[in-house]
Amino acid sequence: MRRAVCPGSYDPATNGHLDIIERASRLFDEVVVAVGVNKNKKGLFEVPERLDMLREITAKLPNVVVDSWEGLLVDYCRDNDIAAVAKGLRSVSDFDYELQMAQMNRELTGVETLLMANNPAYGFVSSSLVKEVAALGGDIERFVPPIVYERLSEKFPKLGG
């Protein structure tokens, strides 16, 4: 079975994330969407909330499972028999960073990385930017899945208004 992981903080998940997950699910037998746990960092959404949203977002993809991990991603891959990491690229700066990570991961454990060019419609969308615009009441509905918009609306009551 060809398995890949789509790692990230997903705080929150965006339509750009979903695009990469969907595309990876067509290339691999199973895709694990893995939320990284960093206990030193406080997110907008707690990890269990992110996992719940991701499960709802990916429910229509039968070969996608949602999980979390803490520590080195390559250790998670080794422990779960995952041979590849699938990531999206929005910009040249993403490429520079992701190339270094891909090379390090391969040297550490042999895990390969698939870097996919983003859908241009989401090239400027990031979780950080979505949170910032939402906090200021901007309309981010077209950039995130409906469940994420609903949960952001609970955090930021003036969202879209």
Side-chain angles (χ1 to χ4, degrees):
M1 178 183 283
R2 295 171 305 152
R3 301 179 77 215
V5 63
C6 287
S9 65
Y10 299 103
D11 188 35
T14 68
N15 288 336
H17 290 129
L18 182 57
D19 176 62
I20 296 299
I21 294 165
E22 288 174 342
R23 290 165 54 200
S25 75
R26 292 192 296 267
L27 298 172
F28 294 93
D29 299 318
E30 182 178 80
V31 173
V32 178
V33 178
V35 174
V37 176
N38 182 344
K39 292 184 178 170
N40 298 321
K41 210 171 167 185
K42 175 73 173 130
L44 178 63
F45 293 100
E46 297 295 329
V47 170
E49 292 176 288
R50 293 182 230 169
L51 294 169
D52 288 344
M53 286 187 282
L54 284 163
R55 286 186 182 105
E56 183 169 330
I57 292 164
T58 62
K60 67 180 188 248
L61 303 169
N63 64 330
V64 172
V65 296
V66 176
D67 197 6
S68 63
W69 97 95
E70 187 173 352
L72 289 176
L73 179 62
V74 291
D75 290 341
Y76 178 84
C77 290
R78 183 191 61 238
D79 295 345
N80 291 280
D81 195 30
I82 297 172
V85 176
K87 300 283 299 255
L89 296 175
R90 294 173 300 195
S91 65
V92 172
S93 60
D94 281 355
F95 177 78
D96 288 340
Y97 175 76
E98 294 299 345
L99 178 63
Q100 288 178 331
M101 291 298 296
Q103 291 169 330
M104 178 62 80
N105 289 344
R106 189 164 189 276
E107 284 299 311
L108 288 172
T109 61
V111 170
E112 295 290 351
T113 301
L114 171 65
L115 300 175
M116 296 187 284
N118 70 296
N119 177 331
Y122 308 121
F124 60 93
V125 178
S126 70
S127 295
S128 298
L129 191 54
V130 163
K131 287 186 286 194
E132 185 176 340
V133 172
L136 296 170
D139 184 8
I140 49 84
E141 188 168 10
R142 68 185 173 274
F143 306 128
V144 296
I147 184 64
V148 174
Y149 184 78
E150 181 182 309
R151 299 280 177 89
L152 283 168
S153 296
E154 293 167 4
K155 301 265 186 193
F156 305 112
K158 65 180 187 175
L159 182 64

